[in-house]
Amino acid sequence: PSGDIDPQPTLSPDEKRVAVALREGAKTDSDIWLFDLARGVSSRFTFDPGNDRAPLWSPDGRQIAYYTLQGDDWEILSLSVDDGESRNLTRNPGTDTYPHWSPDGRSIVFHSRRDGDWEIYRMGSDGRNPRRLADLPERRCRRLRLLVPAQPGPALRRGGREIDHSPAALGG
């Protein structure tokens, strides 16, 4: 396919496929595409009217988490690689972006503005039990996005037991 590519391609854990957000032609919204590296084949993976961004593979390679614009709201979804089934994990009126899987795949950390300011949340991989972990002042959040445009967001350390959102941890 031809079009604009999101600067956030991610390699599957088995290193056989790449997931990327791609905007085709004159479209203003992007979809998630999968590229099979061995066969040189690409396939569109999402078909919704949303603006799908920042796909990230689960550690077992069976799910892809991403965020998308649904109406006026950014939500985090999980998409099954096996059957294409999509689930909205966040379902709230606040902005939720940049999902990152824990190393064991049991939880996802993400940025959220559900309380008005940028904060870091953690939820189960099924979207249950979201809880706020840390405040992230607006200017710091903008700074992190400038420093690490490819994967802005909270980084997981120490087997997923710690979340680090400092510029040093994110490569800045």
Side-chain angles (χ1 to χ4, degrees), residues 161-172:
R161 293 188 311 270
E162 292 183 9
I163 298 172
D164 192 343
H165 59 271
S166 69
L170 295 173

Side-chain angles (χ1 to χ4, degrees), residues 105-171:
R106 293 182 183 173
S107 62
I108 296 172
V109 294
F110 59 98
H111 278 159
S112 180
R113 288 191 79 164
R114 60 182 63 195
D115 296 330
D117 293 319
W118 282 111
E119 300 166 325
I120 296 175
Y121 274 74
R122 184 178 200 147
M123 65 182 164
S125 61
D126 59 2
R128 293 184 185 172
N129 303 316
R131 69 181 195 276
R132 185 178 59 81
L133 298 178
D135 292 327
L136 190 57
E138 185 73 26
R139 75 171 186 277
R140 183 170 183 155
C141 189
R142 281 195 308 268
R143 182 174 175 219
L144 289 177
R145 288 189 178 157
L146 291 173
L147 287 171
V148 190
Q151 283 298 337
L156 295 166
R157 299 183 343 167
R158 298 188 189 218
R161 293 188 311 270
E162 292 183 9
I163 298 172
D164 192 343
H165 59 271
S166 69
L170 295 173

Side-chain angles (χ1 to χ4, degrees), residues 85-119:
E85 182 180 335
S86 174
R87 290 184 305 160
N88 185 333
L89 299 178
T90 49
R91 289 195 196 284
N92 75 76
T95 296
D96 298 310
T97 61
Y98 296 106
H100 289 264
W101 294 90
S102 63
D104 64 8
R106 293 182 183 173
S107 62
I108 296 172
V109 294
F110 59 98
H111 278 159
S112 180
R113 288 191 79 164
R114 60 182 63 195
D115 296 330
D117 293 319
W118 282 111
E119 300 166 325

Side-chain angles (χ1 to χ4, degrees), residues 29-52:
D29 295 335
S30 56
D31 288 297
I32 306 299
W33 284 73
L34 298 184
F35 291 84
D36 184 312
L37 299 175
R39 297 184 303 144
V41 176
S42 61
S43 58
R44 185 173 167 189
F45 200 52
T46 60
F47 296 86
D48 58 12
N51 193 357
D52 305 337

